[in-house]
Amino acid sequence: MKALVLSGGAGTRLRPITHTSAKQLVPVANKPILFYGLEAIADAGITEAAIVVGDTENEIRQAVGDGSRFGLEVTYLRQEAPLGLSHAVLIARDFLGDDDFVMFLGDNFVFGGITDSVDEFRKVRPDAQLLLTRVPDPSAFGVAELDDAGRLVRLEEKPAQPRSDLALVGVYLFGPAIHEAVRAIRPSARGELEITDAVQWLLERDHDVRTTVITGYWKDTGNAADILDVNRRLLDLLEHRVDGDVDETSEIVGRVRVDAGAVIRGSRIVGPAIIGPGTVVENSYIGPSTSIAEDCVIRDSEIEFSIILRESRFDSIRRVEGSLVGRNVRVSLGPRVPATHRLVIGDHGRVQISS
């Protein structure tokens, strides 16, 4: 069995972070989201993977390399434009051959991995197996409709009026029949070759298409709020470890990882939190659910429930919460300006102005 990992999207919902970085390489718990997917693929016993890349190809190649660090043999396939998931299957035809494969969206996170799903597929070997989960707003996803017996009867891509609350998770398992399906369909109104249309084509021709409804945690990390939520959940599993230099005036509370080379001076770190290597934290407070990447400087500042990417600096900032901050960012306290209030107040008015 092989893996097809999609990492070619533009990441428009994560701009401005993705103006200069691949969305699949945004770190959660100080590790790129893509790496969790590659580890899950290797844990499922798969050793050959192709990564579909686009404009951020060089950055992904540099980060992943030949895949050996994950126990994988990685091939790169260039997709000139994001023309849909079925298009990715089309361009991977030579790599995939007639082997079964798992298609994994590189910005998705499935808590607990995919080993159980892969094992189930290997035992039964249907033409397709889809992972589904219930979501509050299914209109943002591919949506599956099941009959009373739990069999799949229809798929729709981002419908305005969803027929169910079952969304397709970004993990698909396919046999070789999918290749005929992706060649048979036409672009959707979005101009893309939709994988939902290809699976619907299989359904309408009585191919064996199965579904698994997962109840565990899954996220499509396409926006900052979802990335912060995944970061929080991963940090909840963190093991306490202090390898860096922490002085006697600092306080470390709860599950905190201070990597080797980090320096903590006169600060309070409340876990779960990670302080990356080479980072300096002075006279500051780092609160729960926070990941500070490598080579940052945090001075006289307070940060909580946030992700700070490498080589960024905060100086005299109170208070930062729920934030995703890119690489090599400078955040400092600006000069005070006189407060001015210009008012037009009617008769009998009551106004309170904070100092």
Side-chain angles (χ1 to χ4, degrees):
M1 194 170 191
K2 294 176 180 176
L4 183 64
V5 182
L6 275 57
S7 297
T12 55
R13 291 180 293 162
L14 271 174
R15 290 175 179 168
I17 298 291
T18 51
H19 278 309
T20 54
S21 178
K23 65 176 180 177
Q24 298 84 6
L25 296 181
V26 174
V28 287
N30 279 9
K31 183 164 66 177
I33 189 72
L34 174 62
F35 288 11
Y36 292 97
L38 295 176
E39 290 169 353
I41 288 166
D43 288 344
I46 298 169
T47 58
E48 293 181 75
I51 301 180
V52 177
V53 292
D55 291 341
T56 58
E57 175 181 358
N58 290 339
E59 187 180 9
I60 291 174
R61 278 180 177 269
Q62 184 176 5
V64 177
D66 64 3
S68 58
R69 63 185 291 190
F70 306 100
L72 297 172
E73 180 182 334
V74 169
T75 298
Y76 294 92
L77 302 174
R78 179 67 183 235
Q79 188 179 36
E80 295 304 323
L83 298 176
L85 305 190
S86 286
H87 183 262
V89 177
L90 277 175
I91 67 172
R93 184 68 176 94
D94 290 342
F95 167 79
L96 295 169
D98 289 327
D99 292 321
D100 297 337
F101 67 97
V102 56
M103 184 166 70
F104 197 110
L105 274 60
D107 59 352
N108 275 228
F109 181 86
V110 181
F111 193 85
I114 62 171
T115 299
D116 289 346
S117 298
V118 170
D119 288 345
E120 180 184 351
F121 182 87
R122 281 173 162 151
K123 289 176 183 176
V124 182
R125 295 200 68 231
D127 294 307
Q129 181 175 318
L130 311 179
L131 272 61
L132 310 176
T133 192
R134 299 191 184 279
V135 297
D137 181 16
S139 63
F141 303 95
V143 176
E145 181 184 357
L146 308 183
D147 64 15
D148 293 339
R151 293 185 297 263
L152 180 66
V153 295
R154 185 181 292 105
L155 290 171
E156 292 183 277
E157 186 65 32
K158 298 181 174 62
Q161 296 181 325
R163 297 172 182 266
S164 82
D165 63 350
L166 289 170
L168 274 70
V169 173
V171 179
Y172 309 79
L173 296 112
F174 292 118
I178 193 65
H179 297 297
E180 184 181 3
V182 298
R183 289 195 304 268
I185 63 173
R186 295 292 177 264
S188 66
R190 301 194 306 159
E192 297 187 9
L193 291 173
E194 310 286 2
I195 200 66
T196 45
D197 290 344
V199 177
Q200 184 68 32
W201 188 93
L202 292 176
L203 270 177
E204 292 169 357
R205 286 152 183 82
D206 296 323
H207 285 273
D208 187 4
V209 179
R210 306 192 179 198
T211 61
T212 301
V213 178
I214 64 172
T215 56
Y217 181 78
W218 162 80
K219 278 289 184 184
D220 168 10
T221 59
N223 59 54
D226 288 337
I227 286 179
L228 290 170
D229 190 58
V230 172
N231 188 67
R232 176 181 62 82
R233 291 189 179 247
L234 284 171
L235 290 180
D236 283 341
L237 304 176
L238 192 68
E239 293 184 3
H240 178 83
R241 194 179 80 226
V242 177
D243 295 328
D245 181 5
V246 180
D247 72 353
E248 295 180 354
T249 65
S250 295
E251 184 180 10
I252 307 295
V253 180
R255 295 188 306 278
V256 175
R257 194 180 84 197
V258 180
D259 288 334
V263 177
I264 313 296
R265 295 287 184 266
S267 298
R268 189 168 192 257
I269 316 293
V270 178
I274 295 178
I275 310 299
T279 286
V280 176
V281 180
E282 293 183 352
N283 303 318
S284 295
Y285 166 77
I286 306 298
S289 303
T290 301
S291 297
I292 310 292
E294 65 271 23
D295 299 323
C296 294
V297 177
I298 313 295
R299 287 196 173 100
D300 301 309
S301 297
E302 300 175 2
I303 302 175
E304 185 170 315
F305 185 45
S306 295
I307 298 173
I308 312 300
L309 303 193
R310 68 175 186 262
E311 299 176 355
S312 289
R313 183 184 187 108
F314 282 71
D315 196 348
S316 303
I317 301 299
R318 292 177 171 77
R319 171 170 179 152
V320 175
E321 290 185 6
S323 299
L324 173 59
V325 177
R327 299 171 295 184
N328 197 25
V329 170
R330 299 292 182 266
V331 183
S332 59
L333 189 64
R336 293 183 61 87
V337 295
T340 300
H341 307 286
R342 182 173 298 169
L343 308 172
V344 177
I345 303 173
D347 297 346
H348 311 297
R350 301 290 186 271
V351 178
Q352 288 185 331
I353 299 175
S354 60
S355 58

